[in-house]
Amino acid sequence: MATIEKISDASIEAAAARLRAGGLVAFPTETVYGLGADATDDRAVAEIFAAKKRPDFNPLIVHVPNLEAARTLGDFDAASLSLARRFWPGALTLVVPRRKACAVSKLASAGLDTLALRVPAHPGAQKLLRETARPVAAPSANASGRLSPTEAGHVALSLPDADLLILDGGPCTVGLESTVVAANGDGVTILRPGGVTKEDIEAALGMSVGLAVTDDTAPRSPGMLASHYAPSRPLRMNASAPENGEAWLGFGAGPADADLNLSATGDTSEAAANLFAMLHTLDRPRFTGIAVSPIPEQGLGIAINDRLRRAAAQVIET
Ligand code: TXA
Ligand code: MG
């Protein structure tokens, strides 16, 4: 059963001990809540897949407290180093080749010879990683294919049966998952848009970067199945008004009678922070579906629209 505890020095210590003993801990990051396990422990990593009912071809992000720790696990080329120095700690995940002596379970990277690494900025996550003193594998703490959690209560609702300690650090400030970037010598590609924008990445590198196209038969970033992030009700994008029984999720100054508004001032950062919590709130039996106002396709709007398109695809992942 899942238990929620307010984040504190004592609960972080207990959580670190639990992780070191092979248990599961859900913890806040600035992006979304993660479902963590000791990344060097095959059995503990397997528990993550079991708790999420996640297809085992889908590799996990491994969290470490700093670049130094990341470099003991993966090989960083010039581009990944400059991205790490610019955006870590923060909402960026770098996919790099595994080092030969990498201690991370092969299961965490789903048998790939690359590893997704992230240094979160959230002070509670930082403290937990330092106390645990092991790399922590952590996908978003939701059942596979479902909305990512941005509050501790979302985790408990999505994974009610998991043997799990949930550290409650309040709502996540970014609210969208990290941007997943692969840099491997033959260029830099965004595998998943997220909390750090394409524009910021291009500015840091001084060059343009590609955005991987989702292909459900051979996803480059296997979590990018079209069905990801689905609420259980149909979702309709670019809506100018709700239709028969739909909830209306507005954006900008226009929709005064929207049920909720992602950002009345049209601020995409505010909209990102509100996105999953508002979708959770509107995913209720009294509505037949969720209609969402248009979001501009720029800055964080790219990642928001990416998540909305996946939610609208409405195919539940197996
Ligand atoms: O913000 C986040 O990234 C959150 C917090 C908890 O850190 N984590 C998260 O993890 O969203 P998850 O497992 O839900 O998404 C990980 C993404 C998936 O799209 C996965 O396919 C991709 O990263 N990924 C992981 N390892 C990879 C690899 N070696 N090559 C390509 N993609 C990889
Ligand atoms: Mg996820």
Side-chain angles (χ1 to χ4, degrees), residues 31 34 54 58-59 61 63 114 116 118 139-140 177-178 192 221-223:
T31 57
R54 180 168 193 160
N58 199 347
I61 296 175
H63 298 70
T114 53
R118 176 165 177 236
S140 50
E177 297 87 346
S178 61
R192 175 179 76 179
S221 185

Side-chain angles (χ1 to χ4, degrees), residues 32-33 52 54 58 61 138-149 177 192 223 228-229 276 307:
V32 300
Y33 276 73
K52 279 182 69 92
R54 180 168 193 160
N58 199 347
I61 296 175
S140 50
N142 52 279
S144 188
R146 291 307 187 178
L147 288 174
S148 289
E177 297 87 346
R192 175 179 76 179
H228 236 70
Y229 314 105
F276 289 131
R307 302 304 188 271

Side-chain angles (χ1 to χ4, degrees), residues 164-186:
L164 179 64
L165 169 61
I166 304 170
L167 293 177
D168 183 354
C172 302
T173 53
V174 176
L176 278 179
E177 297 87 346
S178 61
T179 304
V180 180
V181 173
N184 52 20
D186 21 277

Side-chain angles (χ1 to χ4, degrees), residues 144-288:
S144 188
R146 291 307 187 178
L147 288 174
S148 289
T150 55
E151 295 171 16
H154 297 158
V155 181
L157 276 176
S158 196
L159 303 170
D161 304 324
D163 181 6
L164 179 64
L165 169 61
I166 304 170
L167 293 177
D168 183 354
C172 302
T173 53
V174 176
L176 278 179
E177 297 87 346
S178 61
T179 304
V180 180
V181 173
N184 52 20
D186 21 277
V188 177
T189 311
I190 297 178
L191 301 179
R192 175 179 76 179
V196 173
T197 65
K198 182 169 186 281
E199 292 89 331
D200 285 346
I201 289 170
E202 291 180 333
L205 292 173
M207 63 179 210
S208 60
V209 300
L211 184 62
V213 182
T214 307
D215 174 349
D216 270 8
T217 57
R220 292 234 12 223
S221 185
M224 295 294 282
L225 297 169
S227 59
H228 236 70
Y229 314 105
S232 53
R233 251 144 281 280
L235 184 142
R236 193 163 59 84
M237 295 176 70
N238 300 313
S240 50
E243 286 167 8
N244 41 44
E246 282 177 334
W248 191 10
L249 181 55
F251 177 82
D257 53 347
D259 293 282
L260 290 172
N261 197 319
L262 288 166
S263 169
T265 59
D267 173 354
T268 48
S269 300
E270 185 185 12
N274 284 331
L275 180 68
F276 289 131
M278 289 188 173
L279 287 175
H280 272 110
T281 303
L282 297 178
D283 195 15
R284 292 280 182 272
R286 70 191 161 99
F287 297 118
T288 56

